[in-house]
Amino acid sequence: MTHFDVLVIGTGSGNSILDDRFAHLRVAIAEPHLFGGTCLNAGCIPTKMYVHPASVAQQAADSSDLGLSTRYLGADWPAIRDRVFARIDEIEASGRHYRTHELENTTVIPEHVRFTGPHSLVTDSGGEITADRIVIAAGAHPDVPNIPGLDPAAVDAPGSPFHTSRTIMRVDDLPESVLIVGSGYIAMEFAHIFTGLGARTTTAVRGPRLLGAQDDEVSARFTEAFAADHDVRFGIEVSCVDITEDGKVRVEFAATGRVEDAPVPEPLTVDRVLLALGRTPSSQGIDAAAAGIDVLPDARVSVDRHQRVLADGAPLPGVFALGDICSPHQLKHVANHEATIAQKNLLADIAAGAPGAAHENDLAIVRHDAVPAAVFTSPQVATVGMTEEEARATGADVVVGRRDYGGVAYGWALEDTTGFAKVIADRSSRRILGAHIMGPEASMIIQPLIQAMAFGQRADEVATGQYWIHPALPEVVENALLDLDFG
């Protein structure tokens, strides 16, 4: 049995926990997969490196609305793929080498580990580990639906045509045809990537709308805009799959009953199937229950406001968690914030002596208000705070301001006819409760609203108390703020 002072499970945001302040301790990091976690290797970063060329291709395919004659002649998929992963794989290897070979006090455990007790674990090869303090940062994994004909073991397997976001970006060639199953942000980003680069892409959606977790107005307007440029089939699900003699996938569909009179497509044969139906926290994989850890109905490890893991409702001494395995927000920037809080509190716990000895007044508190997010597709979507529906449900006296991209000068330059900004505020306090933007550069121009919410600035002061560059795109935000009628 090997004992450590600190064990970190997972190397996404968990990799940032151990720094020079832990140099006097015997520490370990358990990582059975790639260093850097989902964001670096199969999520935020590589997808955006694919989204950009897809957007350039989309613009080149038809710029007639700008008075230009342009064409898109095709993609060198291997060149795009190698551009993406040459950089990412180098970062992954560098992080692994640093932890493995350059830090004398650090042991890298390149295996899956699971709990056998509150402070004891076992590796897949049978090695037994104990640790005084543990940070759980094991993330989440893609959901694989139960579909007749689909062997779950085949998903993401070498040579298989069934993929999740873990493997679809590393295929050898641009598929001629792709079926995407799902309607959330992963599905929408990949639908944009493959359609933009020239693959025949079909998206199967169980319900009537795309991005259903967004503000209702955003979801409705996005659905209309996206479906106008993409092959989207609503109200259906995959009922059966079968691999053909030439290695393609024959897919049959059935109605879900969620869209009245939804037409059921004829069987479809495609090169690749991307399953993008969501992600589940990996609490079962680490056997959190064996440690007595409280697990929520959605599989999240339960934590308090200090990122301390809970067992029977009370903090489990010396055990912390962060990121997708416990967070209400599966977002990298949130995981990074939670890692900062967990690190501060872990150090306070170590300084206090025995695990769990730190006083609550000495512990940092996590902040989950005004959490922003973006969907990098076409059109782009960015959001922060409450939806209009959530705001009204609180009983607040809600006021809403809107402005279309087409209502500002830079929107004219873009010839944008679908984008808009929406700001939700409280009439009495004039504080911003939420904001939602759909259109070009939404993820950038929402930042003033994130800042306003983070620092408690009044909406009218944000609108009138600063310069807004004319005729830049942020004027759509300025005008949405000015549209708020406080009476």
Side-chain angles (χ1 to χ4, degrees):
M1 181 176 291
T2 307
H3 182 77
F4 297 98
D5 297 313
V6 179
L7 168 67
V8 178
I9 305 173
T11 60
S13 294
N15 194 37
S16 66
I17 293 290
L18 301 175
D19 58 19
D20 292 344
R21 288 170 289 183
F22 296 85
H24 64 293
L25 300 174
R26 189 180 185 196
V27 301
I29 299 179
E31 178 55 76
H33 304 300
L34 297 172
F35 259 58
T38 297
C39 177
L40 174 66
N41 295 289
C44 328
I45 296 174
T47 53
K48 306 313 164 286
M49 293 179 75
Y50 274 99
V51 161
H52 180 65
S55 297
V56 172
Q58 182 186 49
Q59 294 164 2
D62 183 8
S63 296
S64 58
D65 57 342
L66 301 177
L68 301 175
S69 297
T70 61
R71 289 187 299 161
Y72 169 59
L73 301 178
D76 183 345
W77 175 273
I80 297 173
R81 180 201 59 202
D82 293 348
R83 167 184 173 265
V84 172
F85 290 107
R87 176 172 295 185
I88 285 171
D89 291 347
E90 181 180 359
I91 296 171
E92 190 278 337
S94 176
R96 182 181 297 275
H97 184 273
Y98 174 71
R99 292 295 187 192
T100 305
H101 300 291
E102 297 183 29
L103 299 176
E104 294 182 359
N105 70 319
T106 303
T107 298
V108 172
I109 303 169
E111 292 186 75
H112 178 262
V113 298
R114 61 185 187 278
F115 283 95
T116 56
H119 290 268
S120 60
L121 304 96
V122 63
T123 71
D124 279 350
S125 64
E128 296 181 346
I129 302 168
T130 58
D132 293 331
R133 293 173 176 85
I134 300 171
V135 179
I136 305 172
H141 57 273
D143 294 333
V144 176
N146 183 17
I147 299 173
L150 175 62
D151 178 4
V155 178
D156 290 334
S160 172
F162 298 103
H163 299 270
T164 69
S165 53
R166 284 175 169 170
T167 59
I168 190 67
M169 289 180 283
R170 291 184 182 261
V171 297
D172 290 335
D173 300 295
L174 176 66
E176 290 186 9
S177 55
V178 181
L179 171 67
I180 297 176
V181 183
S183 60
Y185 73 95
I186 296 174
M188 295 301 94
E189 291 185 356
F190 277 107
H192 170 57
I193 289 168
F194 284 114
T195 299
L197 294 179
R200 189 172 67 256
T201 308
T202 303
T203 304
V205 179
R206 290 178 290 189
R209 294 197 313 194
L210 304 170
L211 299 181
Q214 296 280 339
D215 177 272
D216 282 354
E217 183 177 3
V218 173
S219 176
R221 292 181 65 166
F222 176 85
T223 299
E224 181 180 4
F226 193 86
D229 293 327
H230 298 78
D231 181 10
V232 183
R233 312 294 179 92
F234 296 97
I236 63 167
E237 61 186 356
V238 176
S239 61
C240 180
V241 295
D242 183 42
I243 297 181
T244 64
E245 290 184 359
D246 57 356
K248 297 180 183 293
V249 184
R250 184 180 185 274
V251 186
E252 296 183 14
F253 301 95
T256 62
R258 295 176 58 184
V259 177
E260 187 176 356
D261 298 325
V264 177
E266 292 296 317
L268 183 68
T269 299
V270 295
D271 294 319
R272 306 278 178 175
V273 175
L274 172 63
L275 303 172
L277 292 165
R279 297 174 59 82
T280 297
S282 299
S283 55
Q284 184 175 2
I286 61 169
D287 203 355
I293 293 170
D294 296 339
V295 178
L296 301 173
D298 61 1
R300 282 184 294 135
V301 165
S302 183
V303 295
D304 66 6
R305 62 180 185 164
H306 306 298
Q307 298 301 131
R308 296 181 297 184
V309 170
L310 302 180
D312 291 329
L316 189 60
V319 182
F320 301 84
L322 62 96
D324 291 357
I325 198 163
C326 66
S327 181
H329 307 280
Q330 289 191 3
L331 297 163
K332 177 62 172 175
H333 44 278
V334 175
N336 286 344
H337 168 64
E338 292 172 353
T340 298
I341 300 301
Q343 183 193 56
K344 288 180 179 179
N345 294 338
L346 174 63
L347 289 166
D349 197 64
I350 292 169
H359 194 279
E360 287 216 13
N361 291 340
D362 296 326
L363 300 179
I365 297 173
V366 73
R367 182 174 182 178
H368 283 150
D369 60 311
V371 173
V375 186
F376 294 84
T377 184
S378 181
Q380 196 176 109
V381 174
T383 181
V384 61
M386 288 186 275
T387 66
E388 181 179 350
E389 297 73 41
E390 290 169 341
R392 295 192 184 281
T394 67
D397 187 3
V398 170
V399 58
V400 178
R402 294 179 186 80
R403 182 57 56 105
D404 287 342
Y405 275 49
V408 299
Y410 207 88
W412 307 348
L414 296 172
E415 286 295 329
D416 187 275
T417 60
T418 61
F420 73 106
K422 175 179 182 177
V423 181
I424 302 149
D426 177 80
R427 190 184 304 274
S428 58
S429 69
R430 304 195 179 190
R431 297 281 191 257
I432 299 170
L433 303 176
H436 310 273
I437 303 177
M438 185 184 90
E441 308 300 351
S443 61
M444 296 190 193
I445 67 173
I446 199 172
Q447 193 63 43
L449 300 173
I450 299 169
Q451 180 171 315
M453 293 182 67
F455 294 105
Q457 297 170 323
R458 285 175 25 175
D460 53 340
E461 293 175 339
V462 175
T464 62
Q466 62 182 317
Y467 281 110
W468 297 83
I469 295 175
H470 177 76
L473 194 53
E475 283 188 319
V476 74
V477 173
E478 175 195 18
N479 281 276
L481 288 166
L482 291 172
D483 191 50
L484 291 165
D485 183 5
F486 293 113

